[in-house]
């Protein structure tokens, strides 16, 4: 073996060792426009920890999620899935019939079945609080009591399935007036987005460091051996 080929082989071995030691886990975020806003910040926070991706577009209401969840999780092995549905169910956006706590619960049960089938660790984010006034586009006023009915239904499903909870509702409720865009808008200012992103990143990190979370290895026969054969 020439010195050049030896150095090439040595470099490949070093890369192979590093790759085999750790490959960043895959994380999927599922949710509505609230998650669309905070996901880029989560990706920055976890850039060295995980490969964080989000379903393209708005995941809308729970019935839509129950229908589309299988395609959202297809094509990749996910280590953690962080998900939420709620605002669209409350306000009835793009729905002929508004959801009820019971229909919401049934849809979540279907979604959970699809997500559990991936083998990923699941985290459900409670829905951020409704705006105090009638929401500007739907003109629907969601009361605290109605929001609690939906939240209780969701928590019932998650408890029954052993799914971790990220309480974004509890995080934002005490500071809603400061960080919500307007009294008739469910969305948040950048300051609120950053609070949510920090909580989501923390919840994902917690799931990744649980004892059974092992670094993914790169198969020698699939990736490394062909390189050694070529260069050595």
């Amino acid at each position: 073996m020439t010195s050049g080929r030896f150095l090439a082989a040595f470099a490949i071995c070093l890369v192979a060792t590093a790759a085999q030691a750790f490959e960043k886990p895959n994380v999927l975020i599922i949710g509505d426009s609230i998650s669309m806003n905070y996901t880029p910040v989560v990706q920055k926070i976890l850039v060295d920890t995980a490969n964080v991706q989000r379903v393209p577009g708005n995941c809308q209401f729970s019935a839509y999620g129950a229908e589309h969840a299988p395609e959202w999780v297809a094509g990749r092995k996910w280590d953690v899935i962080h998900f939420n549905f709620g605002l669209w169910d409350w306000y009835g956006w793009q729905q002929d019939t508004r959801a009820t706590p019971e229909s919401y619960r049934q849809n979540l049960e279907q979604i959970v079945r699809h997500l559990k089938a991936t083998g990923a660790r699941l985290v459900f984010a409670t829905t951020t609080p409704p705006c105090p006034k009638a929401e500007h586009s739907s003109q629907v006023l969601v009361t605290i009591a109605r929001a609690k009915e939906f939240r209780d239904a969701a928590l019932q499903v998650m408890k029954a399935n052993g799914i971790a909870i990220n309480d974004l509702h509890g995080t934002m409720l005490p500071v809603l007036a400061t960080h919500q865009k307007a009294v008739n808008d469910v969305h948040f200012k950048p300051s609120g987005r950053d609070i949510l992103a920090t909580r989501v990143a923390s919840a994902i990190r917690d799931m990744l460091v649980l004892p059974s979370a092992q670094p993914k290895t790169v198969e020698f026969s699939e990736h490394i051996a062909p390189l050694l054969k070529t260069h050595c």
Side-chain angles (χ1 to χ4, degrees):
M1 179 186 292
T2 66
S3 60
R5 291 170 68 85
F6 174 80
L7 289 174
F10 182 69
I12 290 170
C13 290
L14 288 177
V15 172
T17 302
Q20 194 167 18
F22 182 73
E23 182 181 322
K24 288 191 294 187
N26 293 316
V27 175
L28 180 65
I29 294 177
I30 297 174
D32 52 34
S33 56
I34 303 297
S35 68
M36 293 172 71
N37 289 330
Y38 65 61
T39 293
V41 183
V42 174
Q43 291 170 325
K44 290 180 180 178
I45 295 172
L46 298 178
V47 65
D48 295 323
T49 304
N51 172 32
V52 180
Q53 299 188 33
R54 191 192 170 282
V55 174
N58 197 314
C59 298
Q60 301 186 21
F61 45 93
S62 61
Y64 186 84
E67 179 182 355
H68 292 279
E71 65 194 63
W72 292 339
V73 300
R76 185 180 291 267
K77 173 64 176 175
W78 301 106
D79 297 278
V80 174
I81 300 176
H82 183 283
F83 67 108
N84 163 265
F85 294 89
L87 287 178
W88 284 61
D89 292 87
W90 292 351
Y91 289 103
W93 297 315
Q94 297 184 23
Q95 299 164 75
D96 295 330
T97 303
R98 284 178 62 192
T100 65
E102 177 58 23
S103 68
Y104 177 63
R105 182 189 63 78
Q106 293 175 358
N107 291 331
L108 288 180
E109 287 177 342
Q110 293 186 53
I111 292 167
V112 165
R113 282 197 295 271
H114 293 311
L115 301 187
K116 288 181 75 173
T118 67
R121 291 179 169 179
L122 306 182
V123 185
F124 178 78
T126 56
T127 304
T128 50
C131 46
K133 303 293 184 180
E135 193 273 329
H136 65 91
S137 62
S138 65
Q139 291 301 304
V140 171
L141 174 64
V142 175
T143 64
I144 293 175
R146 178 170 172 81
K148 185 178 185 301
E149 289 178 349
F150 279 80
R151 186 167 64 258
D152 287 347
L155 293 176
Q156 179 185 6
V157 173
M158 303 311 148
K159 182 178 180 180
N161 286 275
I163 295 173
I165 300 297
N166 185 12
D167 189 12
L168 297 186
H169 175 273
T171 296
M172 300 311 297
L173 185 61
V175 294
L176 192 64
T178 301
H179 299 291
Q180 207 164 38
K181 283 187 173 181
V183 294
N184 63 348
D185 193 333
V186 298
H187 298 97
F188 294 94
K189 302 172 185 176
S191 58
R193 173 206 61 198
D194 291 347
I195 292 172
L196 291 168
T198 300
R199 280 300 303 266
V200 171
S202 178
I204 291 170
R205 189 182 288 112
D206 287 347
M207 299 304 288
L208 291 173
V209 300
L210 289 175
S212 63
Q214 298 295 328
K216 296 191 295 180
T217 60
V218 177
E219 292 295 332
F220 179 88
S221 60
E222 180 181 355
H223 298 286
I224 308 307
L227 293 174
L228 293 176
K229 184 176 181 181
T230 300
H231 296 280
C232 299

